[in-house]
């Protein structure tokens, strides 16, 4: 075990380290496109200079609870009655997006859902509460059910930090060449495991046969910058499972695919390839839908026979409102009837207080807290993808700026305070030296029958560490606040 969290390197050694880090990143695909890019000009992805210390017990706890979370959200998205009641309400507060997703689902249901199977590619995000003398505890930030990212770059950044350690770039010249013990530097298996999840979808689509004639359709954003993160999964899908993938934007669906009206099978026009899985890396934010045709195209995909990752219901199950409702023990228990008490407790232990802002008793309590102690909270609307939350003292001002009847569209969540570290962030070749805090994501994949709730396959699929300056509220990597990181277990 290293003596201090990070080696103290002299300036000459540090600049060699940075150069080695950048060249490894460019040579190995730890890259993204910058804003306004040309297709041949990716840059090294923002990363930390060193791996960040992370408590081993917390790292393992997040692993242990992942299959339960996968199953919980599969059960929730299979319970139409439960979802209808909540989403119907939520749709009123956010008619432009949640309401639209719900409307498209209802249309699809009317037309007929021809594929009962659903593929969940999930990521559960945590920060660690570390209190002197107590066991470090993972606390859930959010559960993501659509378009979860950085599974590709996560494996790469772990490999990068391990390479730098093995190469002696962290060496402070005290005998051993490697600053960190290699067994404390795990590498996330997310590339292998997430692509395996897609292959599982392909397998179940084909009636439990490994068929490499059918393809995965990856629905991508126009001008996506995080292409390589996605590509790494696609390359592994082909290399390890022989399954090809095709990338299209939502706007291209009507012109470049067609559906057989009898079988409802989805095909790619140019090749006549049959699509087994539609993997959404788009469609999670209002901007992903440019016009009515894009919504039509989302509907087409939902009614096709291809397995969706995720279906509209699974996507909606990831609403922050649902996360808040699931912190209610009675409701949580309803979904975990067959699980024993210890499983139930495992999930509960990851929750912090999350309040509704409605007319219920808890809602009234929350309305008081939001004005009396805003510094303890973050206010979240029903949105994904970063940059939407309202923090601390901005909460009262914000709430006063909108009608009180609209407050019920938000949830009020207790802030988690993880330990900070003096790691450094490398972005655009420059070193940023400010305290950082980290968020651990655990990936999971699950194939389930959305009509019956039956689970066919449920897997752990690796992890991700993202870090950001402690001074910034949000941690968006592409938005310029955060970066990908890896752990050194402590
Ligand atoms: P999004 O769907 O936009 O990713 P999140 O709920 O993940 O929304 O919040 C965005 C970011 O805000 C998180 O990555 C984290 O950095 C910060 N954050 C959210 N909730 C909390 C919390 N309860 N305590 C501390 N930080 C939080
Ligand atoms: Mg998030």
């Amino acid at each position: 075990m290293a003596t201090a969290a990070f080696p103290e390197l002299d300036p000459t050694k540090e600049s060699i380290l940075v150069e080695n880090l950048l060249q490894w990143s460019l040579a190995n695909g730890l890259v993204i496109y910058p804003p306004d890019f040309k297709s041949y000009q990716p840059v090294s992805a923002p990363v930390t200079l060193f791996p960040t210390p992370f408590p081993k017990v917390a790292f393992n706890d997040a692993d242990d609870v992942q299959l339960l979370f996968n199953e919980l959200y599969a059960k929730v998205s299979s319970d139409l009655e439960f979802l209808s009641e909540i989403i119907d309400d939520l749709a009123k507060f956010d008619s432009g997006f949640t309401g639209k997703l719900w409307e498209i689902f209802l249309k699809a249901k009317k037309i007929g859902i021809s594929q009962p199977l659903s593929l969940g590619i999930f990521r559960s995000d945590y920060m660690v509460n570390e209190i002197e003398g107590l066991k470090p505890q993972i606390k859930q930030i959010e559960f993501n059910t659509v378009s979860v990212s950085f599974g590709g770059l996560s494996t790469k950044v772990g490999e990068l930090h391990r390479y730098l350690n093995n190469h002696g770039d962290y060496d402070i010249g005290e005998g051993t060449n490697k600053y960190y013990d290699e067994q404390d530097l795990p590498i996330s298996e997310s590339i292998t495991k997430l692509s395996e999840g897609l292959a599982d979808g392909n397998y179940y689509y084909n009636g439990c046969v490994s068929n490499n004639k059918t393809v995965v359709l990856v629905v991508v954003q126009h001008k996506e910058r995080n292409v390589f993160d996605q590509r790494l999964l696609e390359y592994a899908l082909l290399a390890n499972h022989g399954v090809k993938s095709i990338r299209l934007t939502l706007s291209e669906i009507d012109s470049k695919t067609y559906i057989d009206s009898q079988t409802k099978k989805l095909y790619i026009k140019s090749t006549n390839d049959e699509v087994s899985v539609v993997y959404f890396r788009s469609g999670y934010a209002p901007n992903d839908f440019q016009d009515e045709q894009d919504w039509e195209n989302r509907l087409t995909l939902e009614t096709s026979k291809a397995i969706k990752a995720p279906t509209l219901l699974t996507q909606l199950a990831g609403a922050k409102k649902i996360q808040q409702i699931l912190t209610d023990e009675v409701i949580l228990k309803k979904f975990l009837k067959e699980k024993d008490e210890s499983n139930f407790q495992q999930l509960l232990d990851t929750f912090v207080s999350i309040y509704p802002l409605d007319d219920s008793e808890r809602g009234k309590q929350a309305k008081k807290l939001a004005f009396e102690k805003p510094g303890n909270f973050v206010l979240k609307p029903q949105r994904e993808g970063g940059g939407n939350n309202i923090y601390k003292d901005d909460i009262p001002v914000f709430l006063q700026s909108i009608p009180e009847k609209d407050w019920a569209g938000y949830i009020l969540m207790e802030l988690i305070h993880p330990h900070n570290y003096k790691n450094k962030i490398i972005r655009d070749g420059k070193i940023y030296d400010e305290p950082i805090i980290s968020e651990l994501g655990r990936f999971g994949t699950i194939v389930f029958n959305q009509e019956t709730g039956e689970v066919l396959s449920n897997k752990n699929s690796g992890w991700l560490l993202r870090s950001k300056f402690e001074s910034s509220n949000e941690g968006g990597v592409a938005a310029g606040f955060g970066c990908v990181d890896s752990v050194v277990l402590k």
Side-chain angles (χ1 to χ4, degrees):
M1 178 66 199
T3 42
F6 309 106
E8 285 275 343
L9 301 175
D10 62 47
T12 318
K13 198 124 205 236
E14 187 169 276
S15 60
I16 295 172
L17 168 60
V18 171
E19 184 151 316
N20 286 350
L21 175 151
L22 293 174
Q23 289 177 356
W24 191 97
S25 299
L26 293 168
N28 291 280
L30 180 45
V31 291
I32 56 166
Y33 278 131
D36 294 327
F37 60 89
K38 299 257 193 316
S39 60
Y40 54 87
Q41 285 176 328
V43 296
S44 65
V47 294
T48 53
L49 195 54
F50 308 108
T52 298
F54 198 93
K56 195 185 264 176
V57 280
F59 189 75
N60 292 337
D61 282 350
D63 195 27
D64 288 345
V65 80
Q66 186 61 30
L67 296 184
L68 278 173
F69 268 122
N70 290 346
E71 195 174 334
L72 173 65
Y73 278 83
K75 290 253 152 53
V76 170
S77 46
S78 306
D79 190 335
L80 187 54
E81 201 183 318
F82 172 79
L83 279 179
S84 296
E85 206 173 304
I86 300 161
I87 307 291
D88 251 344
D89 234 22
L90 216 51
K92 293 186 197 111
F93 298 109
D94 179 29
S95 55
F97 192 61
T98 309
K100 210 60 183 142
L101 291 171
W102 184 233
E103 179 194 318
I104 298 297
F105 164 72
L106 292 175
K107 274 191 190 166
K109 188 164 165 270
K110 213 164 173 188
I111 296 168
I113 305 277
S114 41
Q115 178 57 263
L117 301 186
S118 173
L119 170 62
I121 297 186
F122 296 151
R123 202 186 69 215
S124 186
D125 291 339
Y126 308 92
M127 282 182 177
V128 178
N129 253 345
E130 280 186 86
I131 299 166
E132 198 60 43
L134 295 181
K135 178 186 167 212
Q137 275 212 315
I138 46 163
K139 292 293 175 190
Q140 191 174 51
I141 297 275
E142 66 161 340
F143 192 85
N144 301 282
T145 59
V146 59
S147 202
V148 304
S149 57
F150 294 115
L153 298 192
S154 178
T155 303
K156 292 288 169 184
V157 71
E159 290 171 356
L160 165 71
H161 286 149
R162 197 182 276 195
Y163 161 78
L164 294 170
N165 190 50
N166 285 341
H167 192 247
D169 292 334
Y170 295 145
D171 183 20
I172 46 171
E174 285 180 358
T176 164
N177 213 19
K178 296 178 187 173
Y179 189 76
Y180 301 105
D181 195 337
E182 191 160 291
Q183 70 190 25
D184 296 330
L185 299 181
I187 291 176
S188 165
E189 294 179 317
S190 38
I191 292 181
T192 316
K193 293 296 197 169
L194 290 173
S195 53
E196 184 181 309
L198 291 168
D200 288 343
N202 185 70
Y203 172 82
Y204 283 102
Y205 176 86
N206 287 295
C208 298
V209 174
S210 299
N211 179 355
N212 54 21
K213 295 278 185 296
T214 49
V215 303
V216 170
L217 169 60
V218 188
V219 180
V220 298
Q221 289 177 327
H222 183 58
K223 295 200 175 152
E224 171 64 72
R225 289 171 51 205
N226 200 19
V227 172
F228 306 97
D229 180 54
Q230 304 169 353
R231 283 296 201 178
L232 290 165
L233 307 188
E234 292 182 56
Y235 300 149
L237 179 65
L238 185 60
N240 302 343
H241 305 278
V243 177
K244 196 169 81 172
S245 53
I246 310 271
R247 296 164 68 83
L248 292 178
T249 63
L250 208 45
S251 326
E252 290 175 314
I253 298 301
D254 54 317
S255 58
K256 299 201 169 162
T257 70
Y258 67 94
I259 287 189
D260 179 302
S261 59
Q262 291 297 311
T263 61
K264 294 285 177 186
K265 286 180 179 174
L266 177 68
Y267 294 90
I268 306 292
K269 256 186 202 165
S270 58
T271 54
N272 282 326
D273 281 325
E274 179 182 343
V275 176
S276 57
V277 174
V278 183
Y279 174 37
F280 288 96
R281 291 294 296 256
S282 174
Y284 59 86
N287 275 347
D288 294 343
F289 297 86
Q290 297 294 326
D291 53 28
E292 238 357 84
Q293 185 62 53
D294 287 353
W295 286 105
E296 271 305 308
N297 291 350
R298 183 65 188 84
L299 175 63
T300 303
L301 296 175
E302 196 69 10
T303 54
S304 82
K305 201 172 172 58
I307 293 180
K308 268 71 66 185
T311 62
L312 285 164
L313 282 183
T314 303
Q315 178 169 348
L316 286 162
K320 296 193 166 63
K321 184 70 191 171
I322 306 273
Q323 185 192 0
Q324 174 249 305
I325 290 171
L326 290 174
T327 61
D328 181 327
E329 291 191 25
V330 179
I331 295 174
L332 187 67
K333 202 146 224 171
K334 185 184 123 183
F335 286 107
L336 298 170
K337 279 196 285 284
E338 312 98 72
K339 300 287 166 198
D340 60 30
E341 194 57 32
S342 66
N343 284 155
F344 183 63
Q345 200 55 46
Q346 251 182 310
L347 290 174
L348 282 183
D349 286 346
T350 69
F351 297 159
V352 293
S353 297
I354 312 181
Y355 300 85
L357 280 168
D358 55 17
D359 295 330
S360 66
E361 272 317 303
R362 258 180 89 73
K364 284 182 192 146
Q365 196 187 346
K367 287 179 186 180
K368 270 183 78 178
L369 285 170
F371 285 88
E372 287 170 5
K373 296 190 169 157
N376 295 345
F377 295 100
V378 47
L379 182 74
K380 301 188 181 181
Q382 307 305 319
R383 279 281 187 283
E384 298 301 322
N388 304 299
N389 298 339
I390 296 128
Y391 294 85
K392 302 180 187 176
D393 290 341
D394 293 340
I395 297 173
V397 186
F398 175 80
L399 287 176
Q400 274 164 341
S401 74
I402 60 170
E404 187 170 337
K405 65 171 178 42
D406 292 345
W407 295 4
Y410 295 77
I411 59 160
L412 188 72
M413 182 177 193
E414 196 187 317
L415 278 171
I416 305 159
H417 297 286
H419 199 314
N420 69 30
Y421 284 99
K422 284 216 49 96
N423 200 339
K424 296 178 182 180
I425 292 180
I426 311 297
R427 168 181 284 279
D428 300 329
K430 288 195 274 298
I431 305 180
Y432 295 85
D433 192 356
E434 280 190 48
I436 59 152
I437 54 174
S438 305
E439 184 170 339
L440 177 76
R442 276 278 174 188
F443 296 103
T445 57
I446 184 165
V447 181
F448 61 102
N449 184 316
Q450 204 164 256
E451 280 166 14
T452 63
E454 184 198 0
V455 173
L456 304 173
S457 144
N458 185 6
K459 296 177 178 174
N460 274 309
S461 314
W463 52 272
L464 159 74
L465 195 74
R466 276 177 305 164
S467 295
K468 61 168 189 173
F469 300 137
E470 190 182 24
S471 57
S472 105
N473 284 322
E474 296 266 342
V477 176
F481 300 112
C483 70
V484 284
D485 195 349
S486 75
V487 302
V488 48
L489 296 174
K490 59 167 188 176

